[in-house]
Amino acid sequence: MSQRDKPWAIVPVKQFDNAKQRLAGALSAQVRRALAQAMLEDVLSALANCDALAGIAVVTIDPQAAAISRRHDARILTDAATGGHTAAVVAAAERLAREGSTAVLSVPGDIPLITANEVTQVVAAFETAPAFVIVPAHDERGSNAVLCAPPGAVALSYGDDSFLPHLAAARAAGIEPAVLRLPGIALDVDHPADLKAFLAKPSDTRAYRLLVDARSSFVSERARE
């Protein structure tokens, strides 16, 4: 695959100050913010180590997210960055298409177990355009990785129950979707149950080390009380 035909990865990132509100009952605001940053580092590291991509575009207005992204040679886009996941991905895809990109791969910033090998598998599942490749979340509800070639081939609409609607949208566009089930990409850490599942799988990720350290600190503080 030529460099021109390789997909651009798109990673929408919300502002860290409001990160992971659904984990508020399990983690403090400080730890949630640090976790969001660590997970973004893990995701960008995997993408940056994947030779199958043309580049990485991070959609955000958060200064810390932008700083992290630049460390991984990612391009920063701000179009529709505050408009939600779908708006951010669509705006980035449209811009990249105008610049000549022939395919885009959207992934969220909260899948810390993603690997470069898994990203390569997603790209390898796409041979000729038009094409649509999707990796569902572990609960088979969300869409954790979506490759579109060309970028606007399928109308995208993300959410907790977007997987089946995305399959239907691809077929409505005349494209039979390729579905891959990849464990690293599948586990997005968004709910307490996701957090438990993530911690049950020790990994050499920044997110795992942060959570283990945070748990150890909490236990130590309780012991001193």
Side-chain angles (χ1 to χ4, degrees):
M1 182 180 292
S2 68
Q3 188 68 18
R4 181 181 179 279
D5 293 330
K6 291 180 179 180
W8 269 80
I10 299 173
V11 186
V13 181
K14 297 178 181 178
Q15 291 176 274
F16 287 142
D17 284 342
N18 300 314
K20 297 300 164 188
Q21 295 293 322
R22 292 171 178 173
L23 296 176
L27 303 173
S28 68
Q30 180 180 2
V31 174
R32 293 198 309 273
R33 178 184 174 88
L35 176 61
Q37 294 177 10
M39 291 194 294
L40 178 60
E41 287 263 17
D42 289 327
V43 170
L44 293 179
S45 179
L47 295 174
N49 283 303
C50 179
D51 293 334
L53 297 174
I56 307 167
V58 175
V59 187
T60 189
I61 60 168
D62 187 277
Q64 186 60 33
I68 291 170
S69 301
R70 290 189 185 98
R71 290 203 294 269
H72 295 276
D73 295 324
R75 177 181 177 184
I76 311 302
L77 301 179
T78 58
D79 302 356
T82 61
H85 192 109
T86 300
V89 171
V90 169
E94 289 176 346
R95 172 180 282 213
L96 291 167
R98 289 195 300 271
E99 294 174 355
S101 177
T102 58
V104 293
L105 169 64
S106 167
V107 297
D110 62 354
I111 49 174
L113 293 178
I114 185 176
T115 65
N117 179 263
E118 285 189 338
V119 178
T120 299
Q121 290 182 61
V122 176
V123 177
F126 144 61
E127 294 182 357
T128 58
F132 186 79
V133 184
I134 187 167
V135 181
H138 61 98
D139 58 6
E140 297 280 314
R141 294 175 60 191
S143 307
N144 281 14
V146 172
L147 186 150
C148 283
V154 174
L156 302 177
S157 182
Y158 292 90
D160 289 339
D161 293 289
S162 64
F163 175 52
L164 293 180
H166 273 148
L167 298 184
R171 291 176 178 132
I175 303 170
E176 183 56 33
V179 178
L180 300 184
R181 289 176 172 80
L182 302 171
I185 291 176
L187 185 54
D188 51 314
V189 181
D190 202 32
H191 298 274
D194 305 329
L195 190 65
K196 183 177 180 181
F198 176 67
L199 286 170
K201 301 176 181 179
S203 61
D204 185 25
T205 60
R206 294 170 181 82
Y208 183 81
R209 292 193 296 270
L210 180 141
L211 289 169
V212 169
D213 289 345
R215 184 168 56 185
S216 298
S217 298
F218 176 76
V219 171
S220 297
E221 289 175 4
R222 292 295 299 271
R224 289 196 297 268
E225 292 177 357

